[in-house]
Amino acid sequence: NAGVMQNPRHLVRRRGQEARLRCSPMKGHSHVYWYRQLPEEGLKFMVYLQKENIIDESGMPKERFSAEFPKEGPSILRIQQVVRGDSAAYFCASSPSGRDDTQYFGPGTRLTVL
Amino acid sequence: QKEVEQDPGPLSVPEGAIVSLNCTYSNSAFQYFMWYRQYSRKGPELLMYTYSSGNKEDGRFTAQVDKSSKYISLFIRDSQPSDSATYLCAMSEGNTGRRALTFGSGTRLQVQP
């Protein structure tokens, strides 16, 4: 039973480039969450998606960041025109449908902006 | 003031000790409480999941929630060197439609052999 998968595991970008982070939820899970962990800080919620819908984006920066979870394929977190402050570990979690809030996390993508 | 407070440690204990980890929170709407374990440069691993107040036991782990005091705890019995990790408490409002987890900053635990 494969867990949450994220790729790439490590991503290096230069300032101004775009970063695309992918997340495939656990089998049977239809809810996806993205969190960011800055160096020496805790995990912060960014966005919550179901298939083809953004449910809660209250933690998402207003500019340069976007997320989608299409009908087919993985969820994508996209960061345009990256800056050094975007360097962090980005984690995806998934949960089953319905009232079960249990969130299972992937291994993360470590983004380094040069 | 942070919404969830957690002592960052580090907490160092000898092998076999009972470990007590705690979090306090300010949002009375939180209903779901979780403990995650995170090894260095890995993703958080779910250890315990509790709804509302009460106790839950799973093997060497016991989670306690006291909503009246806005205080949650995780106890680890017979601690092992392999338990050395950062422990994160997390909570959500759940039924109100807010499923986002709010995390504590994590407590680093070191179990000495």
Side-chain angles (χ1 to χ4, degrees):
Chain A
N1 184 17
V4 177
M5 295 198 294
Q6 291 188 249
N7 66 81
R9 296 292 306 277
H10 301 275
L11 183 61
V12 179
R13 285 287 177 265
R14 297 191 180 279
R15 282 178 294 170
Q17 291 184 320
E18 178 179 287
R20 283 191 178 223
L21 288 62
R22 286 176 288 277
C23 169
S24 295
M26 286 179 71
K27 187 175 181 180
H29 287 193
S30 57
H31 298 224
V32 165
Y33 312 78
W34 287 93
Y35 293 83
R36 177 166 64 174
Q37 190 171 38
L38 292 165
E40 304 304 321
E41 290 190 22
L43 280 152
K44 304 289 186 193
F45 168 76
M46 299 180 75
V47 62
Y48 162 34
L49 310 102
Q50 294 179 23
K51 286 283 187 182
E52 300 184 282
N53 283 307
I54 295 175
I55 307 301
D56 179 0
E57 56 182 347
S58 58
M60 197 80 130
K62 296 292 182 230
E63 297 178 351
R64 303 187 298 107
F65 286 73
S66 63
E68 63 176 7
F69 189 15
K71 188 176 179 181
E72 301 291 338
S75 175
I76 307 285
L77 179 68
R78 182 182 177 205
I79 311 172
Q80 294 178 291
Q81 298 176 318
V82 296
V83 300
R84 288 218 174 110
D86 297 332
S87 295
Y90 292 82
F91 292 97
C92 168
S94 72
S95 68
S97 60
R99 296 179 60 180
D100 189 342
D101 276 21
T102 315
Q103 295 184 26
Y104 298 90
F105 281 77
T109 294
R110 277 164 180 79
L111 173 65
T112 301
V113 180
L114 301 177
Chain B
Q1 184 188 3
K2 291 182 181 178
E3 210 169 2
V4 179
E5 297 278 359
Q6 185 175 8
D7 188 333
L11 179 62
S12 183
V13 300
E15 184 175 354
I18 296 174
V19 176
S20 172
L21 304 166
N22 312 292
C23 288
T24 59
Y25 63 95
S26 56
N27 184 354
S28 57
F30 286 144
Q31 297 190 76
Y32 295 88
F33 303 91
M34 288 133 259
W35 285 93
Y36 286 86
R37 177 173 62 193
Q38 186 175 27
Y39 292 109
S40 181
R41 304 187 73 76
K42 302 288 186 184
E45 173 194 5
L46 180 66
L47 288 176
M48 300 291 283
Y49 174 81
T50 312
Y51 170 69
S52 195
S53 284
N55 294 357
K56 186 173 183 179
E57 187 173 322
D58 184 1
R60 295 186 296 113
F61 299 93
T62 300
Q64 289 184 351
V65 174
D66 182 350
K67 288 189 70 179
S68 63
S69 301
K70 296 190 180 67
Y71 186 88
I72 70 171
S73 301
L74 177 71
F75 297 95
I76 307 174
R77 290 181 298 281
D78 188 25
S79 56
Q80 304 294 311
S82 58
D83 294 328
S84 298
T86 297
Y87 289 78
L88 304 164
C89 63
M91 43 202 82
S92 73
E93 297 177 20
N95 283 342
T96 59
R98 283 271 298 159
R99 293 190 170 205
L101 293 179
T102 301
F103 281 86
S105 55
T107 299
R108 201 182 317 168
L109 172 66
Q110 187 75 33
V111 180
Q112 305 292 342

